[in-house]
Amino acid sequence: MAMNTSMESSSSIKRRKLKSKVWEDFIKYEDKEKKEWAKCKHCEKVFVGSSKSGTTHLNNHLKSCQGLRTLGGVADKGKMKSVIGPNLNGSELVSRIIKYGLNDIKDDILVIYEQKKCNFHGYLDKLPSHFSVTIEWWDAFWYLRIWFVDDSWELRNMIINFNNRGDVYELVKSVLMDWNIHRKICSVIISCHHPLIYVEQNENLKNWLKEQGSVPFIVASYLHEFAFSEIQANLSFHKLKEISPNKILTKASDLQSYVSKSSNDLSFNNAVTEATSKGKIVTSQSVPQTSCQDESLFEWVVGCKEVFCELEHRYPDFKSMNFTKEEWDDATLMYGCWQVMKDLKKEIDSLLDASKTVNVYFSIFCYFFLRFDQLRKSDNSYLHTIASCCLEHVECWEYCGLVKEVIILDPRCKRETLESYYKMIYGNDAEACFDKMIDDVKNFFSNCVKGISSSCSSHDYNTTLESELDSYLKEKHPEDEGLDVLQWWHDKSLIYPTLARIACYFLSISIKTPDLDLDDSLRGEIDDILLGSLDDDLKYKLACTKIWLNTSENN
């Protein structure tokens, strides 16, 4: 958002006296939209200035403000008093921490936080890559993670903020501006798993980020997670029960109760022995607990089919309790469908990886489209129904955050591959849909080039884009499914300099908001910090610092 700093004198906040001493170093003013901002007098950096945001972030800025530093890099302002001296030995240091507690050595902790943050600032400023943002939830807290391609063409990520306040829109704006990356954000994905993130806030944040960037902003979404969640729900045993016309589980429960009685135990075991001696298949013998899950009960009953047939021959009265032939036929169909459903769920779990980027998920969607399309043609009525339900969610891939402009940057998704996928998904409309996709991609890349050219004059990206894209799409695609896509673009950067630059921007977009991926010990320590009684500002910055110190060597 462009800020009209010329209005400072006329629109400065005069409604109440600013009591905090921090305002000696900042100018507070309102923009045209009546939003409050604070501009540092020393470096002219702008921060959120509303009273709701407090002044902690302003005080922290002064500790590292470049405008306050001498040529030797030493701050002109007097340093805050520290209870931890530089010459303390190990035991003295521990004694001071025990004596004063973490809250009383807050200033010392914040100094380390600012030092590490300043180091990261310098590193991120030099990267040519733009950043993808994921806003994720863990317990009662949200944390903001940035994803980027480093100067070695490796995908990296780092957590830059923790918080638990509900005003996500203002907080994220503040964090991104504080880190000075708000003009280099290429996408944002907001986790849908917390009620405090409202649709209006999502849209406001995305619209604001679009205004900041020099290249087009991609509105990625979490709907792919919802789509796969719905697919997995359709692959549940509960869904199978819903579509069954017979009360198979009710009769299965009656059979379980019958054989569980001590008076019937010997009869059941004899029937098992008789069935197996005749060479009949008995996959279940021990009786499940009465509290077992429905799917376990169902599998037990189907596995004991031949045993129940023996009981029916031995005891004619048992016939009224046993399944009829039609019910056994239906149960067999259900069982066959259930085995396929379990295999599909395992496949989905193995393919869905939190670290995968948006370009990879398109082929996953296409793979499952083909699988469900084949199963929909099955003679098994259960498989037909389940596959049809799942296909509804796979067919909506374009509405699931799978951005075609990024998908085409995967060298395995060249023209020939994409055309075959489009024919599979769109049928007779495939050619028109494919041509529109190519036009959309060209327009998107052209807008990217305008932004890149405005910030880099060493190469004329405008003149090479179209020829690069045509040549790239016609080039034979790599066969290696495990291809390192970023390394491929690094190797081809001299051949496709414009596309490689775009790929560096957008191949960092994560398609899934991952869990807080820390080892159990560190995760437990972060949990203790966040749920402890420390000041909010201290606990959030302490949590970030601890993660940085423990993970920076590996990431």
Side-chain angles (χ1 to χ4, degrees), residues 136-143 162 516 523-524 526-527 530:
E136 308 149 38
W137 288 93
W138 178 46
D139 293 337
F141 303 91
W142 65 262
Y143 56 98
F162 279 93
L516 193 59
R523 188 184 178 95
I526 297 300
D527 203 3
L530 295 176

Side-chain angles (χ1 to χ4, degrees), residues 56-108:
T56 301
H57 64 299
L58 303 180
N59 277 308
N60 290 336
H61 166 69
L62 292 176
K63 297 174 187 176
S64 59
C65 177
Q66 298 300 312
L68 277 172
R69 295 185 176 272
T70 66
L71 292 176
V74 180
D76 287 336
K77 290 243 171 200
K79 293 183 179 179
M80 301 180 76
K81 183 179 179 181
S82 172
V83 299
I84 299 180
N87 298 321
L88 292 177
N89 62 32
S91 61
E92 290 172 335
L93 176 62
V94 174
S95 297
R96 288 292 181 96
I97 294 174
I98 293 172
K99 177 179 179 181
Y100 292 102
L102 290 178
N103 269 324
D104 282 347
I105 60 169
K106 176 178 180 178
D107 296 333
D108 301 278

Side-chain angles (χ1 to χ4, degrees), residues 72-342:
V74 180
D76 287 336
K77 290 243 171 200
K79 293 183 179 179
M80 301 180 76
K81 183 179 179 181
S82 172
V83 299
I84 299 180
N87 298 321
L88 292 177
N89 62 32
S91 61
E92 290 172 335
L93 176 62
V94 174
S95 297
R96 288 292 181 96
I97 294 174
I98 293 172
K99 177 179 179 181
Y100 292 102
L102 290 178
N103 269 324
D104 282 347
I105 60 169
K106 176 178 180 178
D107 296 333
D108 301 278
I109 294 172
L110 293 181
V111 166
I112 302 299
Y113 168 81
E114 291 295 341
Q115 288 174 350
K116 294 296 293 181
K117 180 181 172 186
C118 186
N119 290 339
F120 284 128
H121 255 300
Y123 172 69
L124 296 176
D125 285 344
K126 295 176 182 178
L127 287 176
S129 172
H130 279 41
F131 304 94
S132 174
V133 175
T134 55
I135 301 166
E136 308 149 38
W137 288 93
W138 178 46
D139 293 337
F141 303 91
W142 65 262
Y143 56 98
L144 191 149
R145 187 195 304 258
I146 58 173
W147 302 73
F148 55 94
V149 177
D150 69 10
D151 46 13
S152 299
W153 286 79
E154 295 284 342
L155 179 62
R156 303 293 188 190
N157 73 83
M158 64 179 291
I159 293 170
I160 62 173
N161 194 268
F162 279 93
N163 219 295
N164 69 345
R165 291 172 57 186
D167 191 359
V168 175
Y169 172 52
E170 290 297 337
L171 282 170
V172 172
K173 282 175 59 178
S174 174
V175 172
L176 296 182
M177 291 176 71
D178 183 37
W179 279 79
N180 196 32
I181 57 175
H182 57 294
R183 299 190 186 282
K184 296 179 69 176
I185 304 300
C186 63
S187 80
V188 61
I189 298 177
I190 305 177
S191 173
C192 61
H193 303 307
H194 199 283
L196 291 177
I197 299 185
Y198 299 103
V199 172
E200 183 179 356
Q201 290 195 28
N202 290 359
E203 292 306 311
N204 288 339
L205 178 59
K206 291 170 183 176
N207 290 335
W208 178 77
L209 284 169
K210 281 183 179 180
E211 295 173 1
Q212 308 305 308
S214 58
V215 296
F217 174 80
I218 288 180
V219 184
S221 76
Y222 54 74
L223 291 178
H224 58 280
E225 295 185 55
F226 176 76
F228 274 113
S229 295
E230 288 297 299
I231 290 170
Q232 289 177 316
N234 283 321
L235 294 176
S236 68
F237 192 78
H238 178 73
K239 182 68 176 181
L240 201 56
K241 285 196 303 180
E242 283 184 354
I243 62 177
S244 173
N246 298 314
K247 296 181 179 179
I248 288 179
L249 265 295
T250 301
K251 295 197 74 170
S253 181
D254 293 339
L255 290 172
Q256 179 192 33
S257 299
Y258 174 85
V259 300
S260 295
K261 294 179 180 178
S262 57
S263 57
N264 297 326
D265 183 59
L266 181 60
S267 300
F268 178 75
N269 289 331
N270 288 338
V272 170
T273 303
E274 184 68 20
T276 54
S277 67
K278 294 179 180 179
K280 295 180 179 179
I281 298 175
V282 179
T283 58
S284 301
Q285 295 186 16
S286 59
V287 182
Q289 299 291 325
T290 54
S291 58
C292 71
Q293 294 181 334
D294 287 345
E295 52 264 43
S296 298
L297 176 61
F298 174 70
E299 290 179 349
W300 170 76
V301 167
V302 174
C304 288
K305 175 182 176 181
E306 299 298 338
V307 178
F308 293 133
C309 290
E310 286 295 329
L311 282 173
E312 185 176 315
H313 293 152
R314 287 168 173 255
Y315 308 101
D317 291 343
F318 182 75
K319 184 175 182 178
S320 61
M321 184 175 295
N322 195 13
F323 283 11
T324 63
K325 181 183 182 304
E326 291 75 16
E327 288 171 335
W328 277 122
D329 290 342
D330 189 46
T332 301
L333 287 175
M334 277 185 68
Y335 183 77
C337 179
W338 177 234
Q339 298 308 303
V340 174
M341 290 166 66
K342 289 196 295 183

Side-chain angles (χ1 to χ4, degrees), residues 360 410-412 477-488:
V360 179
D410 189 324
R412 293 163 296 188
H477 64 81
E479 299 292 341
D480 184 10
E481 286 297 320
L483 177 71
D484 185 335
V485 175
L486 289 174
Q487 184 60 48
W488 189 93

Side-chain angles (χ1 to χ4, degrees), residues 362-376:
F362 178 65
S363 60
I364 294 177
F365 264 75
C366 290
Y367 170 76
F368 282 110
F369 178 92
L370 183 60
R371 292 281 280 124
F372 291 128
D373 188 51
Q374 291 171 339
L375 292 172
R376 181 172 56 176

Side-chain angles (χ1 to χ4, degrees), residues 495-507:
I495 302 174
Y496 306 120
T498 305
L499 289 178
R501 187 70 178 266
I502 296 172
C504 182
Y505 283 6
F506 293 104
L507 286 179

